[in-house]
Amino acid sequence: MEGVTVVQLGIFTVGDVTTDPTTGRTPTEAERIKAMVAIARKAEEVGLDVFATGEHHNPPFVPSSPTTMLGYIAASTERLILSTSTTLITTNDPVKIAEDYAMLQHLADGRVDLMMGRGNTGPVYPWFGQDIRQGIPLAIENYALLRQLWREDVVDWEGRFRTPLQGFTSTPRPLDGLPPFVWHGSIRSPEIAEQAAYYGDGFFANNIFWPKDHFKRLIDLYRRRFASYGHGTPEQAVVGLGGQAFIRRNSQDAVREFRPYFDNAPVYGHGPSLEEFTEQTPLTVGSPQEVIDKTLTFRESFGDYQRQLFLMDHAGLPLKTVLEQLDLLGEEVVPVLREEFAKGRPAEVPDGPTHAARLAQVTATAGA
């Protein structure tokens, strides 16, 4: 969406293929892939700003090729920002990332950004010829090369983890000479917060599992370091947050319907109770007003921020249920959140990044 949106509101998917615990039915990979496309289209229909997909290379997940999926979605949407909720900067070749996402940028008329991450699946490193013990150095070196490939027409480069480049030009070049906006995603690593701050990029804290105090420390570190590197004040740093919600018109129905999915979810099933998890993490299972109220508390903990993404299509929930969730999110939650996030927001706090707004800023700076 290329209009002015102070906080971009959207959804992200991990693309899990999970048995529905209430019916015993497991969708096929084809059904799950098509469901993710339908969910993205629905997100635009109900007025959301962002659809983001993870990147996984192991069962039970299907989104191994985010650019293929996002390119397909781009063809049938007009406003939706298409993002990754992880691009594996450690195990993907930076040259291929540079080419793939520049191509997607052109096809989607700039409605593209990326979230760099190391992922949460250790075996992915040897699958792609890398050593997990080098995870942080790989993330740092590969991203430095990616930035250079996007910003220099001819690149000479040599590093530790791939063959050197001599006189190399990545094609196509970024749209309008402006690379996609980059977020660095982390749930545990201060080094990644530092990396985001160093480059003046966004920092996305997917705080769906751990208590907020842990993520507050990471975000506070990022804000301080963003300022120390001269990119602006701590309040001008670009922050994104994750969340989870299951919505029904009254909370009793929501809890009753979602409990079997929570209890059997591949990530957190058979662990803390639903009540414990909702108390300690951003997960909200309840009415639209409860989702609004809890989401608004994030601002108190983390400051004014730029992007809020919800996970809503996991744990075996059927597509019909997810689409109903998006109707409630778009009709009853998002309009109130937009209004409330705008209240009292300091003028110097930036809006959520878009290609059009960033291009206008570059043009204005060049003409100054």
Side-chain angles (χ1 to χ4, degrees):
M1 179 178 286
E2 296 291 19
V4 175
T5 303
V6 295
V7 177
Q8 293 165 346
L9 299 167
I11 54 172
F12 72 100
T13 179
V14 294
D16 58 313
V17 179
T18 302
T19 301
D20 184 332
T22 67
T23 65
R25 187 180 185 281
T26 306
T28 66
E29 289 183 324
E31 287 172 334
R32 186 66 173 102
I33 290 167
K34 292 297 181 69
M36 291 165 68
V37 172
I39 288 164
R41 290 171 174 160
K42 184 70 168 182
E44 174 160 291
E45 177 190 319
V46 302
L48 300 183
D49 304 311
V50 184
F51 171 82
T53 176
E55 177 188 341
H56 295 278
H57 298 277
N58 57 293
F61 305 99
V62 292
S64 58
S65 181
T67 51
T68 305
M69 171 166 284
L70 295 177
Y72 188 86
I73 293 168
S76 57
T77 55
E78 296 178 356
R79 298 173 287 98
L80 202 61
I81 295 172
L82 305 172
S83 182
T84 55
S85 46
T86 304
T87 295
L88 297 177
I89 188 62
T90 44
T91 50
N92 283 308
D93 184 354
V95 172
K96 198 71 173 81
I97 296 176
E99 294 176 339
D100 282 352
Y101 286 92
M103 176 70 79
L104 179 59
Q105 214 192 8
H106 284 275
L107 291 171
D109 297 320
R111 296 181 289 125
V112 173
D113 55 32
L114 294 82
M115 188 191 303
M116 299 298 175
R118 291 178 293 139
N120 58 8
T121 307
V124 74
Y125 285 83
W127 294 339
F128 287 86
Q130 300 294 352
D131 183 344
I132 191 172
R133 293 169 295 182
Q134 300 297 325
I136 294 287
L138 273 164
I140 292 169
E141 179 177 297
N142 283 356
Y143 183 59
L145 173 55
L146 175 62
R147 284 181 62 89
Q148 191 174 346
L149 289 165
W150 272 338
R151 286 164 173 80
E152 298 179 16
D153 289 339
V154 181
V155 171
D156 294 304
W157 179 89
E158 187 169 349
R160 289 175 56 193
F161 298 110
R162 77 176 315 283
T163 51
L165 297 171
Q166 295 180 336
F168 180 77
T169 298
S170 171
T171 62
R173 305 304 298 146
L175 178 66
D176 300 318
L178 184 66
F181 186 82
V182 168
W183 306 80
H184 299 261
S186 178
I187 59 171
R188 59 185 177 273
S189 304
E191 296 93 338
I192 301 304
E194 175 77 17
Q195 183 184 37
Y198 176 80
Y199 290 111
D201 293 336
F203 181 65
F204 192 93
N206 194 9
N207 57 327
I208 63 173
F209 297 127
W210 291 7
K212 68 181 178 184
D213 288 350
H214 166 79
F215 291 98
K216 189 176 187 307
R217 288 194 295 273
L218 277 179
I219 291 170
D220 286 349
L221 169 65
Y222 161 66
R223 289 188 184 279
R224 290 197 309 273
R225 299 299 290 161
F226 180 94
S228 73
Y229 285 118
H231 300 300
T233 66
E235 294 74 25
Q236 290 173 316
V238 183
V239 172
L241 297 175
Q244 292 170 281
F246 186 86
I247 318 169
R248 288 301 186 201
R249 295 204 179 274
N250 70 71
S251 56
Q252 293 85 355
D253 289 343
V255 170
R256 184 173 58 252
E257 185 176 348
F258 187 63
R259 189 182 298 280
Y261 295 97
F262 176 89
D263 288 347
N264 294 281
V267 176
Y268 44 55
H270 313 287
S273 71
L274 176 58
E275 287 73 15
E276 290 170 327
F277 206 81
T278 52
E279 182 182 345
Q280 296 181 32
T281 77
L283 174 63
T284 309
V285 181
S287 66
Q289 189 60 51
E290 287 174 302
V291 175
I292 291 165
D293 290 344
K294 187 158 187 177
T295 303
L296 291 176
T297 67
F298 301 166
R299 186 182 185 183
E300 299 168 12
S301 300
F302 305 119
D304 285 290
Y305 60 109
Q306 283 69 34
R307 181 171 288 184
Q308 173 68 56
L309 300 183
F310 294 98
L311 175 61
M312 304 192 78
D313 72 327
H314 59 122
L317 288 167
L319 176 59
K320 177 178 180 292
T321 301
V322 176
L323 298 180
E324 291 167 354
Q325 297 290 298
L326 293 178
D327 276 328
L328 287 166
L329 186 69
E331 292 168 9
E332 302 199 24
V333 175
V334 164
V336 180
L337 288 180
R338 290 200 195 286
E339 185 178 338
E340 292 297 321
F341 277 129
K343 289 180 180 176
R345 189 178 178 91
E348 68 270 17
V349 173
D351 296 336
T354 66
H355 183 81
R358 294 170 58 231
L359 183 61
Q361 184 178 21
V362 169
T363 303
T365 301

